[in-house]
Amino acid sequence: MPRPIKVSIHTAALAHNLDVARRHAPNAKVWAVVKANAYGHGIENAYPGLRDADGFGLLDLEEAVRVRELGWAGPILLLEGFFTPSDLAIVDKYGLTTTVHSDDQLRMLETTRLTKPLNVQLKMNSGMNRLGFSPERYRAAWERARAIPGVSQIVLMTHFSDADGPRGIEHQMEAFERGARDVPGERSLANSAATLFHPQTHAAWVRPGIMLYGSSPKGLEVPASELGLQPTMTLESELIGIQEVPAGGTVGYGSLFTADAPMRVGTVACGYADGYPRVAPSGTPVLVDGVRTRIVGRVSMDMLAVDLTPVPQARVGTTVTLWGRGLGIDEVAASAGTLGYELMCAVARRVPVHAN
Ligand SMILES: *Cc1c(COP(=O)(O)O)cnc(C)c1O
């Protein structure tokens, strides 16, 4: 029998969350961002829930091809663009839309013969200083892209560093408007946080990712439930052992947890090799038989321990929910000092995934 751990992907919740994005940006087309294997959900599992999107955004050519092979005939956007001239042949073959953020990419485009019209998102570095042309050089880059035979539509694009934080987006909006002034074309600016919190960024396209997966870009500060988002991934396992720990007994590697009174401790078939964060401390919330309790001691590679005090009915085989329905991934992430993004993306290949 396989280990009892599994991930369930909730197709209807993905569709619901896409709808939330649409309601926030009713006049924009939506790139559903499915990079990192749909934030760990599996492209093939997420696709049925997200197929009402206007396009799919991702990074890997291999993932782009997978989306095409699922039957998607609409736009597919490479968020980092292509890396080599041979990538361009695949972009051309599969009719992908590519980000262009550098002179090197422009050079490759100028020296490659395409067989069909290529749509481009020309990226400006409006202040994040990761990818893109500076506002000062943006117009020249656009002129150069436009002169390339085969380049068809050019969408003007940038990305925000602080749409989820106190600094906000104004400084980047100002840089973008300055660099893109008088440059014609549709605009594409907003990630999830900007889609939710900065309507002035919506423009022709929005590019939500994390919100589609039911996690809040502001974590617990603005909980996902308050945003009307539903969990799309439930990570579940079972108790595979139960220990009666005496007062003074310790649990797990490093003896990080000490029972101050006799207690029942359950051992769960889920560890950091499954993608559960090793840094999650004692006290991180978990559901046992639907009852909220806490993990105790250090997370090991294949197992972790839970306090069964509030769950007297717990037995070997009782269901344990690590995150998802009934326990928001953002709560677990906050306890581990990270974000829902990282937990979703880190679910290990060895964990079987079912869509429902
Ligand atoms: C990942 C990404 C997004 C989506 O970001 P979320 O914060 O997950 O909504 C949008 N645009 C670009 C360029 C990205 O890389």
Side-chain angles (χ1 to χ4, degrees):
M1 201 187 115
R3 292 167 74 231
I5 191 166
K6 65 172 188 197
V7 155
S8 305
I9 303 300
H10 312 307
T11 307
L14 287 159
H16 167 88
N17 295 338
L18 175 59
D19 214 54
V20 173
R22 282 210 187 280
R23 286 206 300 272
H24 278 272
N27 301 315
K29 290 171 278 186
V30 177
W31 290 112
V33 177
V34 294
K35 62 189 179 190
N37 202 20
Y39 290 52
H41 289 60
I43 294 220
E44 289 74 13
N45 301 314
Y47 179 72
L50 298 177
R51 60 191 309 162
D52 282 341
D54 298 290
F56 289 93
L58 39 65
L59 307 177
D60 286 312
L61 273 176
E62 176 263 331
E63 290 185 345
V65 171
R66 274 161 63 198
V67 173
R68 264 292 172 262
E69 288 177 347
L70 285 167
W72 176 254
I76 299 174
L77 168 62
L78 296 172
L79 292 162
E80 291 178 352
F82 51 91
F83 305 95
T84 63
S86 63
D87 291 346
L88 264 180
I90 300 170
V91 167
D92 188 42
K93 174 172 176 200
Y94 288 92
L96 309 178
T97 300
T98 182
T99 298
V100 171
H101 61 77
S102 69
D103 287 317
D104 299 285
Q105 289 176 327
L106 283 172
R107 202 169 311 117
M108 284 187 257
L109 277 173
E110 283 163 345
T111 53
T112 305
R113 190 181 300 278
L114 302 166
T115 68
K116 39 172 120 65
L118 175 70
N119 290 336
V120 162
Q121 308 240 336
L122 191 70
K123 187 158 190 179
M124 189 195 297
N125 170 17
S126 58
M128 186 162 186
N129 291 313
R130 204 169 58 171
L131 296 178
F133 299 95
S134 68
E136 293 67 36
R137 298 208 39 244
Y138 193 70
R139 169 110 210 168
W142 181 84
E143 302 279 4
R144 199 171 151 195
R146 195 184 53 156
I148 297 170
V151 167
S152 176
Q153 194 194 30
I154 305 177
V155 171
L156 319 185
M157 175 192 187
T158 196
H159 191 57
F160 297 120
S161 59
D162 291 78
D164 55 349
R167 193 176 180 198
I169 47 96
E170 286 311 327
H171 61 295
Q172 285 187 265
M173 284 299 274
E174 185 277 320
F176 182 77
E177 295 304 340
R178 178 160 39 86
R181 188 177 356 148
D182 305 329
V183 183
E186 293 181 341
R187 267 79 165 148
S188 170
L189 315 175
N191 58 2
S192 294
T195 301
L196 289 164
F197 307 120
H198 302 289
Q200 69 273 39
T201 65
H202 289 170
W205 289 91
V206 292
R207 303 189 307 270
I210 193 70
M211 68 177 294
L212 303 178
Y213 306 99
S215 173
S216 168
K218 283 187 185 263
L220 297 182
E221 191 191 325
V222 182
S225 56
E226 223 167 86
L227 296 166
L229 301 172
Q230 297 175 357
T232 59
M233 170 195 280
T234 298
L235 175 62
E236 261 175 9
S237 188
E238 291 178 6
L239 295 179
I240 59 168
I242 293 181
Q243 301 296 334
E244 305 287 344
V245 179
T250 62
V251 177
Y253 287 118
S255 303
L256 293 191
F257 178 83
T258 305
D260 47 14
M263 67 187 285
R264 287 173 87 220
V265 169
T267 300
V268 184
C270 176
Y272 62 80
D274 299 300
Y276 194 90
R278 181 175 176 278
V279 294
S282 290
T284 299
V286 62
L287 304 182
V288 177
D289 198 19
V291 178
R292 194 181 167 98
T293 178
R294 57 178 178 149
I295 74 166
V296 289
R298 182 175 278 161
V299 174
S300 33
M301 183 184 285
D302 312 301
M303 287 175 265
L304 57 78
V306 293
D307 178 359
L308 296 179
T309 308
V311 210
Q313 72 275 23
R315 300 286 175 267
V316 167
T318 295
T319 297
V320 177
T321 306
L322 287 316
W323 62 68
R325 288 193 174 151
L327 176 61
I329 194 168
D330 293 334
E331 273 200 71
V332 180
S335 180
T338 183
L339 302 171
Y341 291 82
E342 190 179 0
L343 298 191
M344 291 176 189
C345 293
V347 172
R349 287 179 81 99
R350 76 178 192 183
V351 180
V353 184
H354 309 270
N356 60 35

